[in-house]
Amino acid sequence: MKESKVQKNKSFTFTGNGERSISRDLAACLVLALAIIIGVVTAYEYFGRSKMLQQEIEDTADNYIHHLVQAVTFPVWNLDMPSLKRVCEAYSQNERFAFLKVTDPAGLVLYNFVRPGGGAELVERKRDIIIGQDKIGEVRMALSKAGYEQTLDRILFISSLTFVISVLVIYLTTGLLLEFFIKKPMNNLRKGMDKVAMGDFTYRFKKMRYREMAEIAERFNRMTSEIASRERRLEEVNDTLSKEVKERQRASLSLSKSEKRYRALVETTSEGFMMVDANQVMQDVNPAFCRMLGYNREEMLGSSLSDILGESASYRIRQCSDMDSEFELTVLSRGNEQVDIYVHATKLFESGKSHLTFAFVTDISEYKRLAEALRESEEEYRTIAENTYDWEMWIDEKGSVRYVSPSCERVSGFSVSHFKQGPQKVQEIIHKDDRNIWDRFINGRNFSQDNQDMRLFRADGLMRWVSLAGHEVFSSDGQSLGIRLSLRDITKRKFMEKQLHYEALHDPLTGLANRNLCLDRIIQAVERSRRRENYYFAVVFMDLDRFKIVNDSLGHAVGDKLLIEVSQRLLKLVRDLDTVSRFGGDEFILVLEELSLPREAIRIVKRVRDKLSEPVVIDGHTINISASYGAVLSPTDYLEPEKLLQNANIAMHQAKEAGRDRIKVFNTRMLDQAMLAMTMQNDLRSGIVNDELYLDYQPIYSLTDNSVVGFEALVRWEHPSKGLIMPGDFIPLAEETGLIFDLGRWVLARACKEMKSWIMLYEGARDMVVSVNVSGRQFSQPNLVDTILAYLREFDLPPHNIKIEITETAIMERSVQAIEMLNRLKSAGVKVSIDDFGTGYSSMSNLQEFPLDQLKIDLSFVRRIDQSKENIEIVKAIINLAHNLGLHVVAEGVENDNQQQVLSSLGCEFGQGFYYARPLSFDKVEGYFKTGVLSSE
């Protein structure tokens, strides 16, 4: 009963499996339609009532404002404030009034009332108080809509409640009616159908009250009667079929045993098996055949034989006679790989012309591959042997020639048949000095891993180099089969080795001996001097003077031709037993041997110098040659070749320092000087790193008022063991070794740093200028301007406080580069001065191109200024030249009052020298800025 009730509830609301319900949909549609109608009517009534109430409160407000104006007219006219107050309070006691305000024509408030706590909407009215044609005041009032809104809320609540109750009543009524008239008869129909579905075909529906349901029940009863009749007939057929099935099961069991025996035989064999019918359709295959071709059994069964093995196999099977047939085929597997097979086929006739073909298939691909590989191997070996580049021979254990490759004719000029006569035919053409190599090979005494090189003569008489290699060969059972020899033509390699040996010992440009051969010749000369008394030799190190100018001005091609010309001249000037070597670049070495006396070497070198001084014309250019020579004469205590070259090099540099085109003979004092220079170079490098350097500052004076206008920074070196070293002792060394770059950067950075410190501490230092000297090698650096500007930025030093002094020679040697660099400095605000003017080779036109600020007269002119009028005129000309170019002039080296007077009279603006002050330390310059007084003590 409980279950039936639950089922009813489910039917009334929704079905258990989520399907649509007629009763539910019908009830929902009725309820929805009535709900819409009731909702529309309720809404219409609500909005009608709302509009009526709104009009009512509007009318009430109009009525109140009308009576209120009449009531307050006379009190306002008579300014009867008590009466006005009583009238207004009577009205304002009405809770519907939100505010009331009475004003005179001037806007003065006569009465004002505002009800507190008002939050509802208001209905406002305003009307003028008029007597006759005059306005005597104004009344403003507002009524609250709070009561109106409460009334609307009640109406809305009642309407909504009515709507909900109506919908609920309609919903319940509709559900009860549907339950009685539709769902209950439908449930009876369903119960009957459930019984039929369970197999009760005897069930019949009773007669129903309503016509529609009665027709459904009648048709259902006829259907169940028909089903019952057919069920009886099926039972009779089933009994008959059961007997036939039992008979077939007994026959199938017997057939299954026979098939198992057949399948066991076919499935386990390693040979492939297939069976095709008369139409060549695959009827059966075994696993071995499937693996052989890469198919699975299901793919093969029912397929045509031609689809699996191809048309060729199909044709061969079709041509089989009544007897057995055997043949080989090449077929494609499923992966398109070739498979070689051997087929043994037999026909089995079943009845009349119907037959089956049985075939056992063997995969012979591996056998075929091995046979083909053996054939190819034999063919490959023969091809290699017949076409090999080397001359191959096989001499058996009895000394007979078993094989000679055709390459023997290319190597020796003789045919294969010539050498087939015996090994002695080879021995006949071998160089007599190398026949022992051949004999040892033939006799089995010289089998080594390294090839043996020997010479032989071709049939045309030409000699060839061959490389001989060989080893003894053995059979599989260890028996000797003789000797296998290989002779390779290495004539070209021998020639190249000889050429490489020559190139390894000679300069590729000039053909002279190179450094390696030169050292070897020196070693030989030293060894001979040890073995023989009164044996003298000399090593001369020669370096062309100003060769770089030739390369830079005329190009390296002309420079190379000049080196070749020098080499040819040197070879003509020395003896055949002497050695001329190009050591590198423009450096040459002369090894002079078998000298009668040591001084004879000087005579030879002088002859070389005189001959080289003759001009040479190359590509239309006349070039004058000179060289510097350094010589080491035997006997000497230095016997190592490198040491002899080092000493000759030292002597050569002494010749260059002495003015070039000179000859210097090495002595131990030169070595000491070189060692001293090297020591100083190392010490200077360490001194820069260890901050052993410092700056002194020499004041620069104005000749007009004798005031200090700046300082020149001068570097000093306080050596830890040697004490104070002046610039003249280490600046040239720094220039020569390249340390001038590090030294210059140090000086520039230190000058900027110290000048910045003075500017920050002393106001008088702000207009001072510190001059920093830049050497010629420094000026050759492309990044010099970037370095200067970087230090100015690093120390935040104004550019006008620094002045760069560059020598006249340095500027003129790089005039194009100088203009660009000086323009950059000028644009940055850095002042530029030309130093040591008068010692170089600048001209008026050159100076006009350079953006300069100042010109410094070299001290050599200043010191001679009071010795003659000619010297005064020279200085005067320099000063006038500078002024014409818009430059200031500084005279350096002023040492007495007379020099100062002359310079001042000539218009020189500035001067420096011992007359004014000696170079000052950092502390003394700082003292000057503090006190304004220079102290040189």
Side-chain angles (χ1 to χ4, degrees), residues 82-95:
S83 300
L84 177 64
K85 182 177 181 182
R86 284 194 300 273
V87 172
C88 292
E89 285 180 349
Y91 277 95
S92 60
Q93 288 178 357
N94 189 341
E95 293 183 354

Side-chain angles (χ1 to χ4, degrees), residues 121-358:
E121 293 186 13
L122 304 177
V123 178
E124 297 185 13
R125 291 291 184 272
K126 180 178 72 172
R127 186 166 296 180
D128 295 335
I129 306 173
I130 300 173
I131 293 181
Q133 298 295 328
D134 298 327
K135 178 182 176 181
I136 63 173
E138 182 184 67
V139 177
R140 296 183 65 186
M141 59 159 286
L143 297 181
S144 175
K145 285 187 176 183
Y148 163 72
E149 292 174 352
Q150 291 175 0
T151 302
L152 284 180
D153 291 342
R154 286 194 298 272
I155 293 172
L156 179 62
F157 174 74
I158 294 171
S159 299
S160 301
L161 183 61
T162 303
F163 171 75
V164 172
I165 293 173
S166 300
V167 170
L168 184 60
V169 170
I170 293 170
Y171 179 73
L172 293 175
T173 304
T174 303
L176 292 173
L177 292 174
L178 292 174
E179 177 73 20
F180 180 78
F181 290 106
I182 295 178
K183 294 189 66 176
K184 187 173 181 181
M186 292 297 290
N187 285 335
N188 293 332
L189 287 174
R190 190 190 57 197
K191 290 179 182 178
M193 292 178 184
D194 290 341
K195 290 184 179 181
V196 173
M198 295 299 295
D200 185 5
F201 299 115
T202 61
Y203 180 79
R204 298 291 183 272
F205 285 107
K206 297 178 181 179
K207 186 174 182 181
M208 293 189 176
R209 181 184 303 175
Y210 301 103
R211 180 173 58 82
E212 292 84 354
M213 295 297 178
E215 290 178 356
I216 294 173
E218 181 182 356
R219 285 171 174 75
F220 189 82
N221 290 337
R222 288 204 300 268
M223 180 187 70
T224 54
S225 298
E226 181 65 23
I227 292 173
S229 173
R230 294 186 179 184
E231 184 182 24
R232 287 192 295 270
R233 290 198 296 273
L234 286 174
E235 288 176 355
E236 295 173 358
V237 172
N238 187 45
D239 291 340
T240 304
L241 291 176
S242 295
K243 296 177 181 179
E244 293 182 2
V245 167
K246 290 180 181 179
E247 292 294 331
R248 293 191 177 187
Q249 285 179 344
R250 285 193 293 270
S252 176
L253 181 60
S254 175
L255 181 61
S256 176
K257 291 180 180 180
S258 176
E259 184 178 1
K260 286 182 179 179
R261 297 190 189 97
Y262 158 77
R263 184 60 59 188
L265 175 64
V266 171
E267 297 291 335
T268 58
T269 181
S270 60
E271 298 293 320
F273 171 80
M274 67 175 179
M275 180 175 64
V276 297
D277 60 13
N279 296 321
Q280 294 198 338
V281 176
M282 304 288 287
Q283 299 298 317
D284 194 12
V285 292
N286 70 342
F289 187 69
C290 294
R291 290 192 299 269
M292 191 181 300
L293 297 180
Y295 293 92
N296 56 49
R297 192 167 186 272
E298 290 72 16
E299 291 175 324
M300 286 191 175
L301 296 182
S303 299
S304 173
L305 178 64
S306 60
D307 294 339
I308 303 299
L309 296 182
E311 293 294 340
S312 178
S314 176
Y315 175 78
R316 299 291 295 272
I317 293 292
R318 192 179 296 112
Q319 296 300 318
C320 284
S321 61
D322 296 344
M323 305 298 293
D324 293 351
S325 179
E326 300 178 11
F327 54 88
E328 294 181 3
L329 283 175
T330 299
V331 299
L332 291 177
S333 67
R334 185 178 185 180
N336 287 329
E337 296 179 356
Q338 288 190 349
V339 180
D340 295 308
I341 59 175
Y342 166 78
V343 181
H344 183 187
T346 302
K347 285 187 178 180
L348 175 65
F349 289 90
E350 293 182 325
S351 60
K353 295 183 178 181
S354 177
H355 66 272
L356 296 174
T357 301
F358 294 86

Side-chain angles (χ1 to χ4, degrees), residues 394-430:
W394 176 16
I395 303 173
D396 64 17
E397 70 281 5
K398 298 179 181 179
S400 301
V401 178
R402 298 286 300 275
Y403 175 78
V404 180
S405 68
S407 296
C408 67
E409 189 168 356
R410 179 186 56 80
V411 175
S412 67
F414 294 97
S415 64
V416 173
S417 59
H418 177 76
F419 295 108
K420 282 278 191 175
Q421 300 176 36
Q424 68 278 4
K425 292 298 182 181
V426 179
Q427 186 180 26
E428 291 174 358
I429 64 173
I430 295 175

